[in-house]
Amino acid sequence: MQPDDIAHRFALHPAATPEKRDEHTSVRQACRRLADELNERLPEGREKAIARAGAEDR
């Protein structure tokens, strides 16, 4: 997967309150860092796709 694809998957999803927005931003950033790390370290294949999907679900 290309880095741009990962960026799109972890793009902004609006929150109802400023507090929730900040929480969402923090979690989204952490998951994005994890997805980037997995993308760099894991070889292409089923396991990588499953790991990436797990990060997206968070």
Side-chain angles (χ1 to χ4, degrees), residues 4-57:
D4 288 345
D5 294 327
I6 293 172
H8 176 72
R9 291 173 186 240
F10 290 91
L12 177 65
H13 301 284
T17 67
E19 293 80 15
K20 282 293 182 189
R21 183 194 64 226
D22 293 344
E23 291 173 12
H24 289 183
T25 297
S26 177
V27 170
R28 190 170 37 258
Q29 289 171 346
C31 289
R32 169 66 193 274
R33 287 191 301 271
L34 174 61
D36 285 336
E37 185 77 15
L38 294 172
N39 195 52
E40 289 177 20
R41 292 179 177 259
L42 298 175
E44 293 299 326
R46 183 173 184 269
E47 289 84 4
K48 182 175 185 174
I50 291 169
R52 188 173 45 237
E56 287 178 44
D57 287 344

